[in-house]
Amino acid sequence: MPAPDPFNRKCATRVVLDRVGDKWAVLILILLHDEAHRFNELRRRIDGISQKMLSQTLRSLERDGLVHRHVEATVPVTVEYSITPLGKTLYAAVDALRVWAETHLKDVETAQKRYDRTNEKPARPLRKAA
Amino acid sequence: MPAPDPFNRKCATRVVLDRVGDKWAVLILILLHDEAHRFNELRRRIDGISQKMLSQTLRSLERDGLVHRHVEATVPVTVEYSITPLGKTLYAAVDALRVWAETHLKDVETAQKRYDRTNEKPARPLRKAA
DNA sequence: CCGCATCCGTGGGGATACTG
DNA sequence: CAGTATCCCCACGGATGCGG
């Protein structure tokens, strides 16, 4: 893994960024930070996630050591997912983003409206209509 | 925009998360945080970005009020991009992620190797070969 | 209940060519 | 130099069905 030069492909930072870019991963991390959950609990909790993505994302998180998977050998098997200590440290950073979002949402929206008002004046044909 | 319930689609947090999830946006933000840059400077600086994505991402950032676009009316037109105050506040949060990445990279890699050693023992056909 | 395999549609994003 | 427009591909992710 190369030195921390985010402008080179495949640098450490990019790897993490890609994981954070995964919206499902972040949401799962937030949920598990509060308490452990079972598979279908998560499924119901997270609006719009497919079973495939949930499964897939959980495996990634487990692989990265951010989430722990505990299998209970009951009759219909029971699986519980919980956040690991490492996961909690990432959660802290991610949470900073959440806070930023809530703090500056208004500013962003204002900027967007301004931009749209200024630039979205199309309908001025550059070349004469045919 | 709904209340801060990240589990509902289209919540504020998700919007920001999606923007941060955009790796190009983050990289641009980091570059511009150091100093203003021109279009093709950014292009050269960022390994692997296409001209289309650069253009597209810059417009998003400008629309969100995170980046400022200054046009100099020289003969071959000159355009400079710089980070806004709002952009700097976001940069702070993003930087926390960068730090996390560099700090815990080793842990993640270790976890991954462990996981792979444990689980990637395929080659045991569940059903007989045809 | 948990989760993998398969099929398949959509759109994100790369390459290229062109304009102001 | 700074973009826009077009084509095109393939990987991401949804839906469905099966297996432990």
Side-chain angles (χ1 to χ4, degrees):
Chain A
M1 194 68 68
D5 170 20
F7 310 115
N8 192 332
R9 319 164 193 255
K10 314 201 56 169
C11 140
T13 308
R14 280 212 188 174
V15 175
V16 173
L17 248 29
D18 285 352
R19 178 135 316 297
V20 173
D22 184 341
K23 60 177 173 181
W24 300 131
V26 173
L27 294 177
I28 292 174
L29 223 50
I30 295 176
L31 274 179
L32 294 184
H33 181 257
D34 288 335
E35 56 178 327
H37 283 288
R38 314 220 345 230
F39 189 86
N40 279 339
E41 278 176 8
L42 290 170
R43 192 147 139 66
R44 276 186 294 272
R45 229 35 221 306
I46 302 177
D47 185 23
I49 195 170
S50 70
Q51 172 274 343
K52 178 185 182 179
M53 287 317 295
L54 178 55
S55 171
Q56 202 169 294
T57 308
L58 282 171
R59 240 180 304 130
S60 296
L61 289 171
E62 187 195 357
R63 193 174 105 96
D64 291 349
L66 300 168
V67 155
H68 178 67
R69 180 170 182 271
H70 179 71
V71 182
E72 196 80 23
T74 55
V75 180
V77 75
T78 300
V79 183
E80 271 235 331
Y81 292 93
S82 54
I83 196 169
T84 64
L86 183 59
K88 290 196 179 185
T89 65
L90 177 55
Y91 174 83
V94 167
D95 203 50
L97 283 177
R98 215 209 64 238
V99 171
W100 188 93
E102 294 177 15
T103 307
H104 296 285
L105 176 62
K106 283 281 165 49
D107 299 329
V108 172
E109 286 181 332
T110 304
Q112 287 179 350
K113 278 172 195 158
R114 241 174 64 85
Y115 182 92
D116 291 345
R117 241 183 300 111
T118 308
N119 299 44
E120 285 199 19
K121 296 190 178 182
R124 200 174 47 88
L126 296 177
R127 42 187 75 207
K128 296 185 177 184
Chain B
M1 193 70 66
D5 170 20
F7 310 115
N8 191 332
R9 329 156 118 110
K10 314 202 55 169
C11 140
T13 308
R14 281 214 187 171
V15 174
V16 171
L17 249 28
D18 285 353
R19 177 136 316 298
V20 173
D22 183 341
K23 61 178 173 182
W24 299 132
V26 172
L27 294 178
I28 291 173
L29 224 51
I30 294 175
L31 274 180
L32 293 185
H33 181 257
D34 289 335
E35 56 177 327
H37 283 288
R38 308 205 7 213
F39 189 88
N40 280 338
E41 278 176 9
L42 290 170
R43 192 146 137 67
R44 275 186 295 272
R45 227 48 179 67
I46 302 177
D47 185 23
I49 194 169
S50 70
Q51 165 271 1
K52 178 186 181 179
M53 287 316 294
L54 178 55
S55 170
Q56 202 170 295
T57 307
L58 282 171
R59 240 179 305 130
S60 296
L61 289 171
E62 188 196 356
R63 193 175 105 96
D64 291 349
L66 301 168
V67 155
H68 178 67
R69 180 171 181 270
H70 179 71
V71 181
E72 197 79 23
T74 55
V75 179
V77 76
T78 301
V79 182
E80 273 236 331
Y81 291 92
S82 54
I83 196 169
T84 64
L86 183 60
K88 289 196 180 183
T89 66
L90 177 55
Y91 174 83
V94 166
D95 203 49
L97 282 177
R98 214 209 65 237
V99 171
W100 188 93
E102 293 176 15
T103 307
H104 297 285
L105 176 62
K106 283 280 165 49
D107 300 328
V108 172
E109 286 181 333
T110 304
Q112 288 179 351
K113 277 172 195 157
R114 240 175 64 85
Y115 182 94
D116 292 345
R117 241 183 301 110
T118 309
N119 300 43
E120 285 199 19
K121 298 190 177 182
R124 202 174 45 87
L126 296 177
R127 42 187 74 206
K128 296 184 177 183

mmCIF file of all heavy atoms in Angstrom, chain A residues 38-40 51 55 59 69 77 79 81, chain C residues 1-8 19-20:
data_model
loop_
_atom_site.group_PDB
_atom_site.id
_atom_site.type_symbol
_atom_site.label_atom_id
_atom_site.label_comp_id
_atom_site.label_asym_id
_atom_site.label_seq_id
_atom_site.Cartn_x
_atom_site.Cartn_y
_atom_site.Cartn_z
ATOM 1 N N ARG A 38 -29.930 -8.224 14.499
ATOM 2 C CA ARG A 38 -29.970 -9.416 13.659
ATOM 3 C C ARG A 38 -30.175 -9.006 12.214
ATOM 4 O O ARG A 38 -30.525 -7.865 11.931
ATOM 5 C CB ARG A 38 -31.114 -10.332 14.116
ATOM 6 C CG ARG A 38 -31.135 -10.505 15.597
ATOM 7 C CD ARG A 38 -31.450 -11.880 16.084
ATOM 8 N NE ARG A 38 -32.012 -12.780 15.139
ATOM 9 C CZ ARG A 38 -33.108 -13.487 15.375
ATOM 10 N NH1 ARG A 38 -33.747 -13.332 16.522
ATOM 11 N NH2 ARG A 38 -33.552 -14.355 14.497
ATOM 12 N N PHE A 39 -29.970 -9.964 11.345
ATOM 13 C CA PHE A 39 -30.010 -9.673 9.910
ATOM 14 C C PHE A 39 -31.308 -8.989 9.480
ATOM 15 O O PHE A 39 -31.303 -7.874 8.937
ATOM 16 C CB PHE A 39 -29.826 -10.970 9.124
ATOM 17 C CG PHE A 39 -29.650 -10.769 7.659
ATOM 18 C CD1 PHE A 39 -28.402 -10.507 7.125
ATOM 19 C CD2 PHE A 39 -30.743 -10.824 6.799
ATOM 20 C CE1 PHE A 39 -28.233 -10.317 5.765
ATOM 21 C CE2 PHE A 39 -30.578 -10.634 5.442
ATOM 22 C CZ PHE A 39 -29.331 -10.383 4.920
ATOM 23 N N ASN A 40 -32.391 -9.635 9.759
ATOM 24 C CA ASN A 40 -33.664 -9.088 9.287
ATOM 25 C C ASN A 40 -34.099 -7.846 10.044
ATOM 26 O O ASN A 40 -34.897 -7.062 9.538
ATOM 27 C CB ASN A 40 -34.750 -10.164 9.349
ATOM 28 C CG ASN A 40 -34.656 -11.077 8.144
ATOM 29 O OD1 ASN A 40 -34.076 -10.711 7.122
ATOM 30 N ND2 ASN A 40 -35.197 -12.269 8.254
ATOM 31 N N GLN A 51 -31.818 -7.246 0.156
ATOM 32 C CA GLN A 51 -31.193 -8.300 0.950
ATOM 33 C C GLN A 51 -29.784 -8.567 0.456
ATOM 34 O O GLN A 51 -28.874 -8.827 1.230
ATOM 35 C CB GLN A 51 -32.084 -9.544 0.882
ATOM 36 C CG GLN A 51 -31.492 -10.769 1.488
ATOM 37 C CD GLN A 51 -30.618 -11.489 0.471
ATOM 38 O OE1 GLN A 51 -30.711 -11.233 -0.735
ATOM 39 N NE2 GLN A 51 -29.753 -12.347 0.958
ATOM 40 N N SER A 55 -26.435 -8.191 2.870
ATOM 41 C CA SER A 55 -25.530 -9.326 3.041
ATOM 42 C C SER A 55 -24.117 -8.965 2.609
ATOM 43 O O SER A 55 -23.143 -9.173 3.326
ATOM 44 C CB SER A 55 -26.060 -10.492 2.211
ATOM 45 O OG SER A 55 -25.123 -11.534 2.173
ATOM 46 N N ARG A 59 -20.698 -8.406 4.960
ATOM 47 C CA ARG A 59 -19.486 -9.203 4.783
ATOM 48 C C ARG A 59 -18.264 -8.302 4.638
ATOM 49 O O ARG A 59 -17.205 -8.559 5.212
ATOM 50 C CB ARG A 59 -19.631 -10.129 3.583
ATOM 51 C CG ARG A 59 -19.500 -11.588 3.962
ATOM 52 C CD ARG A 59 -19.644 -12.479 2.755
ATOM 53 N NE ARG A 59 -20.891 -12.232 2.061
ATOM 54 C CZ ARG A 59 -21.003 -12.022 0.760
ATOM 55 N NH1 ARG A 59 -19.927 -12.037 0.005
ATOM 56 N NH2 ARG A 59 -22.180 -11.809 0.218
ATOM 57 N N ARG A 69 -19.576 -10.756 13.639
ATOM 58 C CA ARG A 69 -20.710 -11.617 13.301
ATOM 59 C C ARG A 69 -20.747 -12.789 14.261
ATOM 60 O O ARG A 69 -19.802 -13.561 14.341
ATOM 61 C CB ARG A 69 -20.535 -12.109 11.865
ATOM 62 C CG ARG A 69 -21.642 -13.009 11.366
ATOM 63 C CD ARG A 69 -21.459 -13.216 9.868
ATOM 64 N NE ARG A 69 -22.504 -14.042 9.288
ATOM 65 C CZ ARG A 69 -22.447 -15.372 9.211
ATOM 66 N NH1 ARG A 69 -21.405 -16.008 9.690
ATOM 67 N NH2 ARG A 69 -23.432 -16.061 8.651
ATOM 68 N N VAL A 77 -31.318 -20.841 12.543
ATOM 69 C CA VAL A 77 -30.092 -20.195 12.999
ATOM 70 C C VAL A 77 -30.269 -18.700 13.297
ATOM 71 O O VAL A 77 -31.038 -18.016 12.627
ATOM 72 C CB VAL A 77 -28.980 -20.389 11.948
ATOM 73 C CG1 VAL A 77 -29.215 -19.478 10.771
ATOM 74 C CG2 VAL A 77 -27.623 -20.173 12.565
ATOM 75 N N VAL A 79 -28.332 -15.039 13.884
ATOM 76 C CA VAL A 79 -27.080 -14.332 13.660
ATOM 77 C C VAL A 79 -27.186 -12.899 14.166
ATOM 78 O O VAL A 79 -28.127 -12.189 13.847
ATOM 79 C CB VAL A 79 -26.719 -14.303 12.160
ATOM 80 C CG1 VAL A 79 -25.379 -13.624 11.954
ATOM 81 C CG2 VAL A 79 -26.691 -15.702 11.594
ATOM 82 N N TYR A 81 -25.197 -9.195 14.602
ATOM 83 C CA TYR A 81 -24.096 -8.339 14.184
ATOM 84 C C TYR A 81 -23.879 -7.234 15.203
ATOM 85 O O TYR A 81 -24.831 -6.614 15.678
ATOM 86 C CB TYR A 81 -24.395 -7.726 12.819
ATOM 87 C CG TYR A 81 -24.410 -8.740 11.708
ATOM 88 C CD1 TYR A 81 -25.596 -9.360 11.317
ATOM 89 C CD2 TYR A 81 -23.233 -9.106 11.069
ATOM 90 C CE1 TYR A 81 -25.609 -10.297 10.301
ATOM 91 C CE2 TYR A 81 -23.242 -10.045 10.050
ATOM 92 C CZ TYR A 81 -24.434 -10.642 9.677
ATOM 93 O OH TYR A 81 -24.444 -11.580 8.678
ATOM 94 P P DC C 1 -38.811 -15.182 10.184
ATOM 95 O OP1 DC C 1 -38.488 -13.879 10.726
ATOM 96 O OP2 DC C 1 -39.288 -15.355 8.827
ATOM 97 O "O5'" DC C 1 -37.496 -16.086 10.399
ATOM 98 C "C5'" DC C 1 -36.907 -16.091 11.698
ATOM 99 C "C4'" DC C 1 -35.434 -16.391 11.522
ATOM 100 O "O4'" DC C 1 -35.311 -17.625 10.785
ATOM 101 C "C3'" DC C 1 -34.697 -15.315 10.729
ATOM 102 O "O3'" DC C 1 -33.494 -14.976 11.398
ATOM 103 C "C2'" DC C 1 -34.404 -15.951 9.389
ATOM 104 C "C1'" DC C 1 -34.418 -17.431 9.683
ATOM 105 N N1 DC C 1 -34.955 -18.222 8.542
ATOM 106 C C2 DC C 1 -34.131 -19.155 7.901
ATOM 107 O O2 DC C 1 -32.972 -19.322 8.318
ATOM 108 N N3 DC C 1 -34.625 -19.861 6.864
ATOM 109 C C4 DC C 1 -35.869 -19.660 6.453
ATOM 110 N N4 DC C 1 -36.315 -20.378 5.424
ATOM 111 C C5 DC C 1 -36.734 -18.720 7.091
ATOM 112 C C6 DC C 1 -36.234 -18.022 8.117
ATOM 113 P P DC C 2 -32.605 -13.697 10.902
ATOM 114 O OP1 DC C 2 -31.881 -13.186 12.069
ATOM 115 O OP2 DC C 2 -33.449 -12.810 10.095
ATOM 116 O "O5'" DC C 2 -31.558 -14.425 9.941
ATOM 117 C "C5'" DC C 2 -30.623 -15.341 10.501
ATOM 118 C "C4'" DC C 2 -29.721 -15.889 9.420
ATOM 119 O "O4'" DC C 2 -30.498 -16.700 8.515
ATOM 120 C "C3'" DC C 2 -29.039 -14.829 8.564
ATOM 121 O "O3'" DC C 2 -27.659 -15.098 8.501
ATOM 122 C "C2'" DC C 2 -29.718 -14.954 7.213
ATOM 123 C "C1'" DC C 2 -30.109 -16.416 7.192
ATOM 124 N N1 DC C 2 -31.240 -16.743 6.283
ATOM 125 C C2 DC C 2 -31.075 -17.762 5.336
ATOM 126 O O2 DC C 2 -30.008 -18.371 5.273
ATOM 127 N N3 DC C 2 -32.112 -18.055 4.515
ATOM 128 C C4 DC C 2 -33.264 -17.383 4.605
ATOM 129 N N4 DC C 2 -34.253 -17.703 3.777
ATOM 130 C C5 DC C 2 -33.448 -16.347 5.580
ATOM 131 C C6 DC C 2 -32.408 -16.063 6.393
ATOM 132 P P DG C 3 -26.586 -14.073 7.937
ATOM 133 O OP1 DG C 3 -25.233 -14.413 8.430
ATOM 134 O OP2 DG C 3 -27.115 -12.734 8.123
ATOM 135 O "O5'" DG C 3 -26.614 -14.479 6.415
ATOM 136 C "C5'" DG C 3 -26.118 -15.790 6.101
ATOM 137 C "C4'" DG C 3 -26.431 -16.110 4.691
ATOM 138 O "O4'" DG C 3 -27.844 -16.152 4.471
ATOM 139 C "C3'" DG C 3 -25.897 -15.090 3.684
ATOM 140 O "O3'" DG C 3 -24.885 -15.723 2.952
ATOM 141 C "C2'" DG C 3 -27.102 -14.793 2.805
ATOM 142 C "C1'" DG C 3 -27.980 -15.988 3.078
ATOM 143 N N9 DG C 3 -29.397 -15.813 2.749
ATOM 144 C C8 DG C 3 -30.264 -14.849 3.183
ATOM 145 N N7 DG C 3 -31.457 -14.946 2.668
ATOM 146 C C5 DG C 3 -31.367 -16.049 1.826
ATOM 147 C C6 DG C 3 -32.331 -16.634 0.986
ATOM 148 O O6 DG C 3 -33.510 -16.298 0.810
ATOM 149 N N1 DG C 3 -31.819 -17.732 0.298
ATOM 150 C C2 DG C 3 -30.521 -18.200 0.412
ATOM 151 N N2 DG C 3 -30.196 -19.255 -0.318
ATOM 152 N N3 DG C 3 -29.611 -17.664 1.195
ATOM 153 C C4 DG C 3 -30.092 -16.587 1.867
ATOM 154 P P DC C 4 -23.748 -15.015 2.199
ATOM 155 O OP1 DC C 4 -22.516 -15.240 2.972
ATOM 156 O OP2 DC C 4 -24.161 -13.640 1.852
ATOM 157 O "O5'" DC C 4 -23.648 -15.887 0.849
ATOM 158 C "C5'" DC C 4 -23.582 -17.300 0.952
ATOM 159 C "C4'" DC C 4 -24.171 -17.938 -0.302
ATOM 160 O "O4'" DC C 4 -25.606 -17.736 -0.323
ATOM 161 C "C3'" DC C 4 -23.624 -17.361 -1.603
ATOM 162 O "O3'" DC C 4 -23.171 -18.428 -2.446
ATOM 163 C "C2'" DC C 4 -24.813 -16.611 -2.213
ATOM 164 C "C1'" DC C 4 -26.008 -17.349 -1.633
ATOM 165 N N1 DC C 4 -27.209 -16.476 -1.504
ATOM 166 C C2 DC C 4 -28.374 -16.811 -2.193
ATOM 167 O O2 DC C 4 -28.383 -17.826 -2.906
ATOM 168 N N3 DC C 4 -29.469 -16.013 -2.060
ATOM 169 C C4 DC C 4 -29.417 -14.927 -1.283
ATOM 170 N N4 DC C 4 -30.509 -14.173 -1.179
ATOM 171 C C5 DC C 4 -28.226 -14.579 -0.565
ATOM 172 C C6 DC C 4 -27.150 -15.367 -0.706
ATOM 173 P P DA C 5 -22.453 -18.099 -3.828
ATOM 174 O OP1 DA C 5 -21.411 -19.140 -4.031
ATOM 175 O OP2 DA C 5 -22.078 -16.666 -3.859
ATOM 176 O "O5'" DA C 5 -23.626 -18.323 -4.877
ATOM 177 C "C5'" DA C 5 -24.462 -19.465 -4.779
ATOM 178 C "C4'" DA C 5 -25.262 -19.638 -6.073
ATOM 179 O "O4'" DA C 5 -26.527 -18.947 -5.951
ATOM 180 C "C3'" DA C 5 -24.592 -19.080 -7.324
ATOM 181 O "O3'" DA C 5 -24.880 -19.930 -8.430
ATOM 182 C "C2'" DA C 5 -25.216 -17.695 -7.477
ATOM 183 C "C1'" DA C 5 -26.616 -17.886 -6.882
ATOM 184 N N9 DA C 5 -27.096 -16.704 -6.155
ATOM 185 C C8 DA C 5 -26.381 -15.956 -5.260
ATOM 186 N N7 DA C 5 -27.063 -14.960 -4.738
ATOM 187 C C5 DA C 5 -28.320 -15.073 -5.330
ATOM 188 C C6 DA C 5 -29.494 -14.312 -5.197
ATOM 189 N N6 DA C 5 -29.597 -13.259 -4.386
ATOM 190 N N1 DA C 5 -30.567 -14.677 -5.930
ATOM 191 C C2 DA C 5 -30.464 -15.745 -6.743
ATOM 192 N N3 DA C 5 -29.406 -16.542 -6.950
ATOM 193 C C4 DA C 5 -28.360 -16.133 -6.203
ATOM 194 P P DT C 6 -24.335 -19.524 -9.884
ATOM 195 O OP1 DT C 6 -24.158 -20.804 -10.611
ATOM 196 O OP2 DT C 6 -23.208 -18.577 -9.749
ATOM 197 O "O5'" DT C 6 -25.548 -18.745 -10.553
ATOM 198 C "C5'" DT C 6 -26.816 -19.398 -10.672
ATOM 199 C "C4'" DT C 6 -27.831 -18.440 -11.294
ATOM 200 O "O4'" DT C 6 -28.188 -17.446 -10.320
ATOM 201 C "C3'" DT C 6 -27.332 -17.692 -12.536
ATOM 202 O "O3'" DT C 6 -28.130 -18.067 -13.646
ATOM 203 C "C2'" DT C 6 -27.489 -16.218 -12.177
ATOM 204 C "C1'" DT C 6 -28.470 -16.245 -11.017
ATOM 205 N N1 DT C 6 -28.331 -15.125 -10.047
ATOM 206 C C2 DT C 6 -29.435 -14.366 -9.754
ATOM 207 O O2 DT C 6 -30.537 -14.560 -10.253
ATOM 208 N N3 DT C 6 -29.217 -13.359 -8.854
ATOM 209 C C4 DT C 6 -28.018 -13.046 -8.233
ATOM 210 O O4 DT C 6 -27.959 -12.120 -7.438
ATOM 211 C C5 DT C 6 -26.906 -13.890 -8.587
ATOM 212 C C7 DT C 6 -25.578 -13.637 -7.967
ATOM 213 C C6 DT C 6 -27.115 -14.873 -9.465
ATOM 214 P P DC C 7 -27.747 -17.484 -15.086
ATOM 215 O OP1 DC C 7 -28.036 -18.554 -16.059
ATOM 216 O OP2 DC C 7 -26.416 -16.833 -15.076
ATOM 217 O "O5'" DC C 7 -28.845 -16.353 -15.243
ATOM 218 C "C5'" DC C 7 -30.224 -16.637 -14.945
ATOM 219 C "C4'" DC C 7 -31.007 -15.343 -14.991
ATOM 220 O "O4'" DC C 7 -30.684 -14.553 -13.818
ATOM 221 C "C3'" DC C 7 -30.668 -14.471 -16.207
ATOM 222 O "O3'" DC C 7 -31.860 -14.062 -16.865
ATOM 223 C "C2'" DC C 7 -29.902 -13.294 -15.618
ATOM 224 C "C1'" DC C 7 -30.472 -13.213 -14.211
ATOM 225 N N1 DC C 7 -29.572 -12.565 -13.228
ATOM 226 C C2 DC C 7 -30.089 -11.592 -12.358
ATOM 227 O O2 DC C 7 -31.293 -11.300 -12.421
ATOM 228 N N3 DC C 7 -29.263 -10.995 -11.464
ATOM 229 C C4 DC C 7 -27.977 -11.343 -11.423
ATOM 230 N N4 DC C 7 -27.202 -10.734 -10.528
ATOM 231 C C5 DC C 7 -27.428 -12.341 -12.300
ATOM 232 C C6 DC C 7 -28.259 -12.920 -13.179
ATOM 233 P P DC C 8 -31.756 -13.384 -18.309
ATOM 234 O OP1 DC C 8 -32.944 -13.785 -19.071
ATOM 235 O OP2 DC C 8 -30.394 -13.565 -18.876
ATOM 236 O "O5'" DC C 8 -31.919 -11.855 -17.902
ATOM 237 C "C5'" DC C 8 -32.948 -11.463 -16.995
ATOM 238 C "C4'" DC C 8 -32.793 -9.991 -16.654
ATOM 239 O "O4'" DC C 8 -31.801 -9.823 -15.622
ATOM 240 C "C3'" DC C 8 -32.333 -9.132 -17.844
ATOM 241 O "O3'" DC C 8 -33.138 -7.970 -17.899
ATOM 242 C "C2'" DC C 8 -30.897 -8.779 -17.496
ATOM 243 C "C1'" DC C 8 -30.950 -8.754 -15.970
ATOM 244 N N1 DC C 8 -29.641 -8.953 -15.308
ATOM 245 C C2 DC C 8 -29.279 -8.113 -14.243
ATOM 246 O O2 DC C 8 -30.059 -7.243 -13.872
ATOM 247 N N3 DC C 8 -28.084 -8.305 -13.639
ATOM 248 C C4 DC C 8 -27.271 -9.274 -14.067
ATOM 249 N N4 DC C 8 -26.107 -9.427 -13.449
ATOM 250 C C5 DC C 8 -27.616 -10.127 -15.155
ATOM 251 C C6 DC C 8 -28.806 -9.938 -15.746
ATOM 252 P P DT C 19 -17.164 21.805 -34.290
ATOM 253 O OP1 DT C 19 -18.244 22.169 -35.217
ATOM 254 O OP2 DT C 19 -15.734 21.983 -34.659
ATOM 255 O "O5'" DT C 19 -17.403 22.606 -32.945
ATOM 256 C "C5'" DT C 19 -18.729 22.869 -32.446
ATOM 257 C "C4'" DT C 19 -18.598 23.832 -31.281
ATOM 258 O "O4'" DT C 19 -17.591 23.348 -30.381
ATOM 259 C "C3'" DT C 19 -18.158 25.242 -31.679
ATOM 260 O "O3'" DT C 19 -18.922 26.185 -30.941
ATOM 261 C "C2'" DT C 19 -16.698 25.289 -31.269
ATOM 262 C "C1'" DT C 19 -16.727 24.397 -30.040
ATOM 263 N N1 DT C 19 -15.417 23.804 -29.641
ATOM 264 C C2 DT C 19 -14.965 24.005 -28.358
ATOM 265 O O2 DT C 19 -15.568 24.647 -27.531
ATOM 266 N N3 DT C 19 -13.761 23.413 -28.077
ATOM 267 C C4 DT C 19 -12.976 22.651 -28.926
ATOM 268 O O4 DT C 19 -11.924 22.173 -28.550
ATOM 269 C C5 DT C 19 -13.515 22.478 -30.253
ATOM 270 C C7 DT C 19 -12.744 21.684 -31.261
ATOM 271 C C6 DT C 19 -14.690 23.063 -30.552
ATOM 272 P P DG C 20 -19.101 27.684 -31.430
ATOM 273 O OP1 DG C 20 -20.349 27.801 -32.183
ATOM 274 O OP2 DG C 20 -17.821 28.049 -32.059
ATOM 275 O "O5'" DG C 20 -19.264 28.515 -30.057
ATOM 276 C "C5'" DG C 20 -19.021 27.901 -28.795
ATOM 277 C "C4'" DG C 20 -18.260 28.842 -27.845
ATOM 278 O "O4'" DG C 20 -16.995 28.221 -27.511
ATOM 279 C "C3'" DG C 20 -17.904 30.203 -28.422
ATOM 280 O "O3'" DG C 20 -17.820 31.132 -27.350
ATOM 281 C "C2'" DG C 20 -16.523 29.959 -29.015
ATOM 282 C "C1'" DG C 20 -15.931 29.040 -27.953
ATOM 283 N N9 DG C 20 -14.869 28.143 -28.397
ATOM 284 C C8 DG C 20 -14.770 27.466 -29.586
ATOM 285 N N7 DG C 20 -13.705 26.727 -29.676
ATOM 286 C C5 DG C 20 -13.054 26.922 -28.465
ATOM 287 C C6 DG C 20 -11.836 26.388 -27.984
ATOM 288 O O6 DG C 20 -11.081 25.596 -28.544
ATOM 289 N N1 DG C 20 -11.544 26.857 -26.706
ATOM 290 C C2 DG C 20 -12.320 27.719 -25.995
ATOM 291 N N2 DG C 20 -11.886 28.063 -24.795
ATOM 292 N N3 DG C 20 -13.458 28.235 -26.435
ATOM 293 C C4 DG C 20 -13.758 27.787 -27.680
#
